[in-house]
Amino acid sequence: MATAIPDTHAESGFQALAQSFAMIIVSEIGDKTFLIAAILAMRHPRMVVFAGAFGSLVVMSMLSAALGHLLPTLIPKKWTQALAAVLFLVFGLKMLQEAREMKAGNDKIREEMKEAEEEIEGDEAERQGAGNGRAVPLEDLEEGGRARHARTRSQSSPVRSSAAKTLLDKSRTYCSVLLGPHFTQAFVLTFLGEWGDRSQISTIALGAAHNVYLVTIGTVAGHACCTALAVIGGRYVSTKISVKHVTLSGSILFIIFGMIYLYEAFHAIDIEVPDISYYHH
């Protein structure tokens, strides 16, 4: 009598999709990039803001998943599973500590909202100053020109940083003309806010542990839901959700992921242990 063999590939595929989607949901709702999209959507056309923010997150997801996909080619799969386990456990415990230290209410998200608004206003002021051709460095405003004298002492590194900044400004101006200033602003602010974030590092870990295409699909779907929610009613949602509860839920989810990957890492090590009894015969 034939026994049914479970489809491990289907289970692994569903696991990759579910984990990547859930990870993005618990990481991004109420995050700074979520609030940036919500604020921009109240100032500019919603579809343009959604296209810019979501396009940035799609690029970030593809880059992060591809980077994670390269890791198993450099180190064995069992060690990438172990690293993913350690990463998720560390993030989960850190989020649990943050949730315990948070006060109940919306104080935390108000603080994040204020920081997001300041970042947007600073970006708009810098863009307007660059457009007028008379942008004044912040150091000169604060110190009354003393920074200008300090720059004469060492010419090499400021020249390089100024050249890099000029190149970035020109690239952004070109994109603004080609794609529109509001699209470019949403894209740039979202990309910079997401770079090095917890969700990006977690996407790299998931890309190392699972199929890179499924991880990309799961993270893109999660970002699509979060960005759409932020653009449609982000400010209203931010006043109703509790960051403490979202962070606590995320910590539990990350710890569960860490335990799963830890089990899979030990299981992979057990599989690679040779059968010693075979050599005694």
Side-chain angles (χ1 to χ4, degrees), residues 101-156:
E101 294 175 353
M102 287 180 186
K103 296 180 181 179
N106 297 324
D107 293 339
K108 177 65 175 178
I109 204 163
R110 288 196 188 98
E111 181 181 344
E112 291 281 350
M113 180 76 76
K114 183 179 179 181
E115 291 180 1
E117 289 177 344
E118 291 175 352
E119 188 170 336
I120 291 172
E121 290 172 359
D123 178 77
E124 291 179 346
E126 181 179 353
R127 188 158 48 91
Q128 290 173 0
N132 294 332
R134 48 185 180 84
V136 181
L138 184 61
E139 309 93 279
D140 290 355
L141 290 175
E142 293 178 347
E143 301 182 16
R146 284 178 290 176
R148 189 181 303 112
H149 298 291
R151 283 197 296 271
T152 59
R153 298 171 189 168
S154 57
Q155 294 290 333
S156 58

Side-chain angles (χ1 to χ4, degrees), residues 173-191:
T173 302
Y174 176 78
C175 292
S176 297
V177 173
L178 185 65
L179 301 173
H182 304 323
F183 178 93
T184 304
Q185 184 183 30
F187 188 97
V188 171
L189 289 179
T190 303
F191 192 89

Side-chain angles (χ1 to χ4, degrees), residues 8-73:
T8 55
H9 292 288
E11 292 179 1
S12 177
F14 177 77
Q15 178 183 350
L17 285 172
Q19 288 186 357
S20 55
F21 181 83
M23 181 271 296
I24 293 298
I25 294 296
V26 299
S27 299
E28 293 300 316
I29 291 183
D31 195 24
K32 182 180 290 186
T33 53
F34 179 91
L35 299 176
I36 286 175
I39 296 170
L40 288 176
M42 291 184 291
R43 302 183 179 185
H44 310 304
R46 290 180 177 179
M47 287 303 300
V48 176
V49 173
F50 175 82
F54 181 59
S56 175
L57 293 170
V58 169
V59 173
M60 181 69 71
S61 298
M62 294 174 64
L63 290 175
S64 302
L67 181 59
H69 181 64
L70 293 176
L71 289 180
T73 64

